[in-house]
Amino acid sequence: MSICSMVVHSRPENLEPVIHSLEQMTGVEVRARDERGKLVVLIDHPERKVISDAMMEMNNIEGVLNTSLIYEYFEDDDD
């Protein structure tokens, strides 16, 4: 199991399209936002690779200025 929280900064004028793009991604949920374009994003998926790919993909969304990993929790389900 892997869970990450991130802050995603977008241009304020691109906020809604960025949120829409994020929410279309597997395991991604936008938990909070403000009018200046700052988003709190949660990624939850059993496969760590999916989370890693999602974090990289976020940087390619038009209107995203920056992404910052805030917290990561990983537990190997085989244990």
Side-chain angles (χ1 to χ4, degrees):
M1 169 182 18
S2 245
I3 301 170
C4 293
S5 64
M6 301 182 68
V7 173
V8 176
H9 293 258
S10 74
R11 296 185 183 283
E13 63 271 17
N14 295 105
L15 187 60
E16 291 304 321
V18 167
I19 290 171
H20 179 74
S21 294
L22 290 170
E23 290 180 339
Q24 299 304 307
M25 298 171 66
T26 301
V28 174
E29 183 180 347
V30 177
R31 301 291 297 188
R33 66 188 199 173
D34 72 11
E35 69 281 349
R36 294 172 296 169
K38 192 181 295 184
L39 305 166
V40 176
V41 176
L42 177 69
I43 311 172
D44 183 2
H45 197 275
E47 296 179 35
R48 200 172 197 185
K49 172 118 173 69
V50 171
I51 289 183
S52 173
D53 291 345
M55 290 189 308
M56 296 302 290
E57 186 179 337
M58 287 178 189
N59 288 305
N60 296 323
I61 295 173
E62 185 174 340
V64 170
L65 300 172
N66 186 16
T67 60
S68 300
L69 177 64
I70 303 301
Y71 176 79
E72 178 186 18
Y73 172 81
F74 173 74
E75 183 176 300
D76 193 355
D77 291 338
D78 295 337
D79 291 344

